[in-house]
């Protein structure tokens, strides 16, 4: 199921706000559960099975804890901790999962094209594009460094046995990669013609489909129900 980034952004914002305020869950519990588990359904449809299963398991665990806390099964500090944990997970987890889904399923060209159609200024689009590319490249570089250090026996479990070697052979190469990556990403942005105030073409065909309009309408309905609750 392919959704436009604008739809995914709207869903991320609405789901986060609705669950954070908590009005919907109290007055429409079934609808609240649907909104809670909706991001994990999207992850499952995109074959992110591990993330979806872990998220659903965490939500169910938090719901069970909240239920037993309501029955006064916990006392004192334990009850406070259980309630705090369950509320944080249930109100913030789905929004974070929806944001993760949005980033995992959106290419950089689609992101830039969608932001352009939303009339975002180039002074915001270009830094965002460069930043996301930078962090993704750093993640790949660090993974390669970890694999190289694994051959030398410098795994995370040996950090306290050889802390100086871990810092030297992992973080020093990473810092060197950061410097190189920053230059490469900046040059890449210039090569792509990403300059403030200049028109540029795009291979991305960012457009809203019927499915996008359906989910947008659903989000607006949820938002209205939350306001009226």
């Amino acid at each position: 199921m392919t959704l436009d980034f604008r739809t995914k952004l709207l869903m991320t914002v609405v789901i986060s706000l609705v669950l954070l305020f908590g009005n919907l869950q109290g007055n429409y519990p079934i609808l609240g559960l649907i909104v809670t588990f909706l991001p994990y359904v999207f992850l499952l449809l995109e074959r992110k099975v591990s993330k979806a299963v872990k998220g659903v398991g965490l939500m169910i665990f938090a719901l069970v804890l909240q239920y037993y806390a309501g029955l006064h099964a916990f006392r004192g500090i334990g009850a406070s901790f259980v309630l705090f944990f369950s509320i944080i997970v249930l109100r913030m987890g789905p929004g974070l999962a929806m944001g993760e889904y949005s980033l995992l399923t959106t290419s950089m060209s689609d992101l830039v094209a969608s932001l352009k159609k939303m009339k975002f200024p180039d002074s915001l689009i270009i830094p965002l594009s460069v930043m996301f590319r930078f962090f993704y490249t750093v993640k790949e570089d660090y993974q390669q460094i970890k694999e190289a250090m694994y051959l030398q026996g410098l795994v995370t479990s040996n950090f306290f046995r050889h802390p100086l070697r871990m810092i030297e052979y992992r973080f020093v190469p990473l810092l060197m990669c950061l410097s190189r990556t920053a230059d490469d990403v900046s040059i890449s942005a210039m090569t792509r013609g990403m300059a403030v105030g200049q028109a540029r073409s795009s291979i991305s065909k960012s457009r809203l489909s019927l499915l996008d309009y359906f989910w947008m309408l659903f989000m607006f309905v949820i938002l209205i129900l939350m306001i009226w609750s």
Side-chain angles (χ1 to χ4, degrees), residues 152-163:
Q152 304 295 328
L154 295 174
V155 294
T156 306
S157 58
N158 291 335
F159 177 80
F160 293 103
R161 294 175 59 186
H162 307 286

Side-chain angles (χ1 to χ4, degrees), residues 83-103:
L83 281 174
F84 176 77
F85 172 79
S86 61
I87 289 174
I88 290 295
V89 170
L90 291 173
R91 296 197 178 188
M92 297 185 65
L96 294 174
M98 193 66 209
E100 184 179 16
Y101 163 79
S102 301
L103 294 177

Side-chain angles (χ1 to χ4, degrees), residues 64-215:
V64 171
L65 284 180
Q66 190 179 52
Y67 174 76
Y68 279 105
L71 296 178
H72 305 289
F74 303 96
R75 303 288 181 181
I77 298 178
S80 301
F81 176 78
V82 166
L83 281 174
F84 176 77
F85 172 79
S86 61
I87 289 174
I88 290 295
V89 170
L90 291 173
R91 296 197 178 188
M92 297 185 65
L96 294 174
M98 193 66 209
E100 184 179 16
Y101 163 79
S102 301
L103 294 177
L104 288 175
T105 57
T106 304
S107 65
M108 193 54 58
S109 58
D110 290 338
L111 175 65
V112 172
S114 296
L115 292 177
K116 196 70 177 176
K117 288 190 175 183
M118 294 170 67
K119 306 302 181 183
F120 276 71
D122 288 338
S123 56
L124 178 63
I125 295 176
I126 294 175
L128 281 176
S129 173
V130 172
M131 181 183 68
F132 283 127
R133 285 194 176 98
F134 175 78
F135 285 124
Y136 177 79
T137 307
V138 169
K139 178 184 175 182
E140 294 295 318
D141 289 340
Y142 184 66
Q143 186 63 36
Q144 292 177 3
I145 293 172
K146 284 180 63 178
E147 292 174 357
M149 292 304 99
Y150 180 78
L151 298 176
Q152 304 295 328
L154 295 174
V155 294
T156 306
S157 58
N158 291 335
F159 177 80
F160 293 103
R161 294 175 59 186
H162 307 286
L164 295 180
R165 291 183 64 192
M166 288 286 291
I167 293 173
E168 179 181 359
Y169 292 119
R170 278 204 179 185
F171 293 105
V172 172
L174 180 61
L175 291 175
M176 299 297 293
C177 289
L178 290 177
S179 176
R180 185 199 64 201
T181 301
D183 294 335
D184 291 344
V185 171
S186 300
I187 294 172
S188 174
M190 294 176 62
T191 305
R192 293 169 181 266
M194 300 187 72
V196 176
Q198 293 186 6
R200 57 185 178 274
S201 60
S202 175
I203 61 173
S204 175
K205 296 181 180 180
S206 177
R207 62 184 62 179
L208 297 174
S209 62
L210 289 176
L211 194 60
D212 290 298
Y213 287 115
F214 168 77
W215 286 114

Side-chain angles (χ1 to χ4, degrees), residues 39-45 48-57:
Y40 305 105
V41 174
F42 283 128
L43 286 171
L44 191 61
L45 292 175
K48 310 294 182 183
V49 179
S50 177
K51 294 180 182 295
V53 171
K54 289 178 182 178
V56 170

